[in-house]
């Protein structure tokens, strides 16, 4: 695959510059969205609220795939990382509200923590954009 067949979208997250990554990368027929939290710039939305953090993180990730002309119906995989088992139902509720009719494959993991201890949820998406000329 040539470099012209790969397109990147940045969100402006300070971590993108610090760690050298993009919010989303389209490669061929796939669009991969990096781990996304409820941070928008320096502000963490939904502090202490796993449902709200999940909604904000999913919305930011979905915003990234709109840069490639895709919406929720193109999402084929989600990954949810939580810091507390107690938050599974609330994060699952946010996921169902956005993807109930889409039904992507999904993974949910409980992890020890994130780069900021106020983050309760981090998500990733993968989307399929069909046959793409490359």
């Amino acid at each position: 695959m040539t470099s012209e067949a790969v397109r990147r979208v940045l969100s402006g997250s300070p971590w993108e510059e610090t760690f050298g990554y993009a919010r989303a990368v389209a490669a061929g027929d796939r669009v991969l969205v990096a781990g996304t939290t409820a941070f928008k710039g320096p502000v963490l939305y939904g502090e202490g609220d796993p449902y709200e953090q999940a909604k904000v993180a999913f919305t930011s990730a979905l915003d990234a795939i709109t840069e490639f002309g895709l919406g929720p119906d193109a999402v084929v995989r989600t990954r949810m990382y939580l810091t507390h088992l107690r938050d599974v139902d609330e994060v699952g509720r946010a996921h169902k509200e956005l993807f109930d009719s889409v039904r992507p494959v999904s993974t949910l993991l409980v992890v020890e923590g994130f780069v900021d201890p106020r983050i309760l949820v981090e998500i990733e998406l993968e989307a399929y954009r069909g046959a793409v000329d490359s």
Side-chain angles (χ1 to χ4, degrees):
M1 185 175 307
T2 66
S3 61
E4 293 84 36
V6 177
R7 186 169 148 230
R8 292 167 176 79
V9 168
L10 303 177
S11 70
S13 162
W15 291 310
E16 289 172 347
E17 185 61 33
T18 301
F19 299 142
Y21 72 93
R23 168 65 55 222
V25 175
D29 60 4
R30 297 173 65 201
V31 177
L32 309 172
V33 180
T36 305
T37 68
F39 266 101
K40 291 185 181 237
V43 178
L44 175 65
Y45 288 83
E47 188 167 344
D49 184 342
Y51 169 79
E52 188 61 29
Q53 284 194 23
K55 290 279 286 204
V56 171
F58 276 123
T59 299
S60 293
L62 288 168
D63 286 348
I65 69 170
T66 65
E67 295 291 322
F68 302 100
L70 302 174
D73 58 324
V75 174
V76 295
R77 173 183 294 277
T78 61
R79 291 184 187 94
M80 297 165 278
Y81 304 91
L82 317 178
T83 54
H84 300 286
L85 187 58
R86 68 173 186 242
D87 297 336
V88 166
D89 290 340
E90 288 301 292
V91 173
R93 179 168 65 102
H95 186 277
K96 183 173 179 153
E97 287 175 8
L98 292 164
F99 299 108
D100 191 32
S101 65
V102 177
R103 300 290 171 126
V105 297
S106 187
T107 301
L108 188 143
L109 299 163
V110 177
V111 299
E112 187 168 326
F114 299 111
V115 297
D116 184 309
R118 298 173 297 160
I119 298 171
L120 302 174
V121 180
E122 185 167 333
I123 63 93
E124 297 176 349
L125 298 180
E126 292 185 30
Y128 177 73
R129 56 185 188 154
V132 175
D133 295 331
S134 49

